[in-house]
Amino acid sequence: MIMRGRGAESALVHRLLEGARAGMSGVLVLRGDAGIGKTALLDHAVASASGLQVTRVAGVEAEQELGFAAVHRVLLPFLGARAGLPGPQRAALETAFGMVGGAAPDRFLVGLAALTLLAESARERPLLVVCDDAQWLDRESLDVLAFVGRRLHADGIVALFALRDDAAAPPTLTGLPELRLGRLPESDALALLMDHADGGIDQVVAERIIAEAAGNPLALRELAQGPHVVEAGFAEPPALGRRLEARFLRRVHEMPVLTRTVLLTAAADATGDRHLVRRAVRHRMGAGNDDIAEAFEQAEREELLTARPAPGASAFRHPLIRSAVYGGASRAERRSVHAALAAVTDAHAEPERHAWHAAAAADGPDEQVASALHGCAERARNTGGYLAQAAFLQRAADLTDDPVQRTARLLEACAAALMAGAPHRAEELLSRLPAPGPAIPVLGAHADRLGGLARLMLGGDGAVRLLLDAALVLSEHDPGAGRDTLLEAFDAAMVAPRSGPDAGALQVAGAALSAVACRTAPAPGADVCVPDLLLDGHARLVAVGHREAAPSLRAALAAMRLPGAEEGGAVRWSLLGMIAAVELWDIDALGECGRRYADAARGHGALRMLQISAHANATSEVFRGNLAGAEAHFAEFKDIADATGADPRFSHPTDVMLHAWRGDEPATLSAVAAQRELYPELPGGIQVQLARAALVVLGLGRRRYPQAQAAAQAVLDDPPPHCGGLSLPGLVEAAVRNGDRGVARRALELLAERATASGTPWASGLLARSCALVAPDSEAEGLFQEAAAHLAPTPLLTEKAHTDLLYGEWLRRQRRRHDARSLLRRAHGQFTSMGAAAFAERARLELRATGEQARKRGAGTERHLTPQEFRVARMAARGATNQEIATDLFISASTVEYHLGKVFRKLGVSSRRQLAASLPQE
């Protein structure tokens, strides 16, 4: 195949293919205008893929709403090996493809199944996956294939996506390696023009074509054919984009009626099944088989259709031809063709396609068709095809005459769009609601709730107000829905900046307390569910205080730690539970819930829940002093965010506390700046409070006490609803060092209220240590010892080392150098071991002031491993198999092998048995 003017692009594709032959993987997204040569480059890749397996799919506009349809076509050659998949992956894949019944699978578990199938096949022979017109793939398939693309590493797989510039960029492909195809150079354009010319071309005409075609290969090819190209004085403007479609349409209109009918029927069908098209044309036109066959042949001679390798299949030579044929037909012609396709499609074997064609054939409301679409939506939901569910419901609503039922179906479609992670689609569906609003208040409240959730996903503006308004109505008519909406409002208040004077956490708390007061008290001995406890606890935390909130929050955490709780309804509110653990300074609850809920999330492939748990685990490990482990969990959090196509601006700065404890000032300040850019208003959500706490830690470690106090001061002056307590002990310390006893005592009073309500060893240790800092010398030592005693049985290495440091500093200032040395020596060793460089330096300087020089220690070997390598090594050291590691980390077994090989080389070991001794102890 000759590729004019695409030498660099072809070379890049060849390098990717060579990498696959060597066992590595590569991903590339080709972008460019319609006709610019993306499909030609994909064809070139396929032709160059000698020795590789090839699986290929092209998006079709008409199939965008059929969930998992495209990925099913990609995996079809490999489905025979699905018996070898781990159980949860196989169940998810078979459910998504409608092979078995069951609960709707998480699409990312489907993605892991797809990755495993493709990677196992590539072990036998490298693999090329080609996705043309990716903008028209159904969203579920695109999510799965993009997930696979992000997880490829050492699998021998190349994935190529082609995407039109004039299409909205699918967010799931953002961040993948991209190659933009531009116009051909003039010399190559001339060569291409001559390649496809029917005869000689006058130089003037050739120059005019080349200038007007603007280097677009498809325009050059089309304009090179036909008698007009040799006419001197050629004046017809070439058709680019829409004009190319018009040119194709003129060619179609010159053909006989039967050929036009074949083309329109093929354009309306997404399967590419020539036999189905033949039956539909015969049903509509009454033509014989020979006549229909001749019509197909004419379309192929005119290079409008091209035969596919699959027997009986055909396709349009270029997507623009399909869109020209379909868009150029009248509405009546399109309805007639869809009616014919519906008539010849088996409603039992393919109910979704049958209903979709029947809906496209309808001319006005039709409850029978709408009911069939609603049934299809139910099936789509059960297979996890939420965007397909939304599309079926939207079409059903369009065909529904009753305004209440139409509203209900649109709301159901909106909820499905949110489940699919498509907030813009949800808002568009809400805009279709009948004006001025639903007649039934509950439906209006549901609309507000869904609108609030969509706003929350889009950045938070106005989300709390909408959710609160919805909750006030729903609490009167449906207490369970009202409670859940209030919890969602708390979620929104946690992550969004200040929502306004009348729509923030305080207003949500007031509504929640009113709802709790109206709720019927449970029977004596009856279990109170986790959502009720969390709602009551967080409402009291915000509106009343920690003392009143602690019992409910404590009970909620206890319920979340019950056997099997991670498999039930508590999962949905895991973020609120993790925040409750932080508010109560309960390291055991935070660590246990983080681990258990992460394990459950991995088992189900529930990446969003795994994200929350990964952040909780990372936070827990920071306080435990296992900074290397925390880095691995934060890396997992970011990996999941990237794999799901989340905005990295929100996900990547979340490790700010890790940077602060390591004393990495540039990384800390960079993450804080990113947070301030996203949340310019204060007090802001929990991410802002974590950024504040990080600045406090950084300032204390580097002995910059004025900066530490300035960072924490806002927590005292305008206490935020959540996570402000993390900065209070640091504020006491910084204010004492700055001689600001007034601020220190105010901060201590607020800390005392919260710590006393909590009563955990962590809280009691922090309180005693802070009291020691402001106490007279006669009382300080006893308080330092009390703090150490409270913290001793806990795993909180950072707090223990910090307490030793403060106690040692106090002893040195009391001129008790001998006593101070042992504490400062221990603090220095602990900070050095965990990698807290700034605090280690602070301890070293204090130790030197006692007359002793601290021994320098090298960085641990674990710092030479990447976070992914560290996670793989840790799991392998515990005895996990490669497949178990691959399943937990959402990568392939081949990639696990690759990482283990690098780990062995870096650590100088030769077996898994030696790994445990080479890694830091947890």
Side-chain angles (χ1 to χ4, degrees), residues 141-167:
S141 291
L142 192 58
D143 283 349
V144 167
L145 294 172
F147 174 88
V148 170
R150 294 179 191 281
R151 311 309 289 173
L152 293 176
H153 189 72
D155 313 279
I157 298 174
V158 172
L160 301 178
F161 298 87
L163 188 67
R164 276 173 56 168
D165 256 349
D166 58 357

Side-chain angles (χ1 to χ4, degrees), residues 68 86-93 104-113 143-144 147 386 419 566-567 571 596-611 613 636 640 643-644 886-891:
F68 298 110
Q89 294 182 32
R90 178 179 179 180
L93 192 70
D106 187 287
R107 82 183 64 171
F108 298 111
L109 189 55
V110 178
L112 183 57
D143 283 349
V144 167
F147 174 88
Y386 294 111
M419 285 293 293
E566 66 273 20
E567 300 290 344
V571 168
R596 281 175 50 186
Y597 282 70
D599 289 343
R602 288 191 183 97
H604 294 294
L607 293 197
R608 291 184 182 88
M609 187 176 87
L610 182 55
Q611 254 193 299
S613 300
E636 181 178 39
I640 298 167
T644 56
T887 299
D888 277 3
L889 300 186
F890 294 91
I891 55 180

Side-chain angles (χ1 to χ4, degrees), residues 622-700:
V622 166
F623 290 117
R624 292 168 185 263
N626 180 14
L627 301 189
E631 182 181 23
H633 287 300
F634 277 125
E636 181 178 39
F637 176 90
K638 295 177 186 179
D639 281 349
I640 298 167
D642 291 342
T644 56
D647 190 335
R649 295 179 305 158
F650 291 90
S651 58
H652 283 217
T654 55
D655 56 358
V656 62
M657 285 289 285
L658 173 64
H659 297 313
W661 272 106
R662 282 184 166 162
D664 188 337
E665 185 171 15
T668 304
L669 296 181
S670 175
V672 169
Q675 296 286 13
R676 285 177 174 168
E677 181 179 349
L678 292 171
Y679 303 104
E681 298 182 54
L682 298 177
I686 55 177
Q687 296 300 341
V688 172
Q689 305 315 318
L690 289 176
R692 271 198 187 127
L695 287 175
V696 175
V697 169
L698 183 70
L700 294 178

Side-chain angles (χ1 to χ4, degrees), residues 80 83 132 141 183 260 297 374 436 441 542 558 577 610 657 873 882 900:
D132 202 356
S141 291
R183 62 172 60 188
R260 296 203 305 268
E297 291 173 7
H374 199 279
V542 173
L610 182 55
M657 285 289 285
N882 283 5
L900 276 177

Side-chain angles (χ1 to χ4, degrees), residues 102-126:
D106 187 287
R107 82 183 64 171
F108 298 111
L109 189 55
V110 178
L112 183 57
L115 173 63
T116 305
L117 268 184
L118 295 174
E120 288 302 310
S121 178
R123 281 177 177 269
E124 301 176 4
R125 190 153 55 104

Side-chain angles (χ1 to χ4, degrees), residues 31-32 52 67 197 250 360 367 425 505 595 685 733 804 874 895:
R31 290 193 62 109
L52 276 71
R250 285 196 298 272
E367 184 54 37
R425 177 71 183 278
R595 289 190 299 273
E733 179 182 346
D804 284 345
R874 174 64 71 192
T895 298

Side-chain angles (χ1 to χ4, degrees), residues 791-915:
L791 294 171
T794 75
L796 297 160
L797 187 58
T798 52
E799 302 293 9
K800 293 176 184 179
H802 198 170
T803 301
D804 284 345
L805 174 62
L806 290 172
Y807 188 10
E809 288 175 338
W810 182 85
L811 287 170
R812 186 186 69 78
R813 286 167 176 74
Q814 298 299 311
R815 302 182 183 278
R816 294 166 56 183
R817 294 185 177 184
H818 179 76
D819 294 336
R821 283 173 189 155
S822 62
L823 289 169
L824 293 173
R825 192 182 305 122
R826 184 167 65 188
H828 178 264
Q830 290 174 326
F831 283 131
T832 301
S833 296
M834 71 177 76
F839 275 97
E841 177 65 8
R842 176 176 161 182
R844 188 188 69 81
L845 293 174
E846 285 289 337
L847 193 57
R848 188 176 67 178
T850 68
E852 179 176 320
Q853 291 290 336
R855 291 177 298 174
K856 292 186 177 182
R857 304 187 185 185
T861 57
E862 73 278 3
R863 292 301 301 277
H864 300 301
L865 303 179
T866 68
Q868 186 78 307
E869 290 167 355
F870 183 82
R871 283 183 282 172
V872 169
R874 174 64 71 192
M875 294 187 69
R878 293 173 183 158
T881 66
N882 283 5
Q883 186 57 62
E884 289 169 342
I885 298 172
T887 299
D888 277 3
L889 300 186
F890 294 91
I891 55 180
S892 70
S894 301
T895 298
V896 173
E897 290 177 8
Y898 175 82
H899 285 313
L900 276 177
K902 294 184 69 176
V903 168
F904 286 173
R905 290 193 296 274
K906 288 183 177 183
L907 299 185
V909 300
S910 58
S911 71
R912 293 178 182 235
R913 291 191 301 274
Q914 297 172 311
L915 280 177

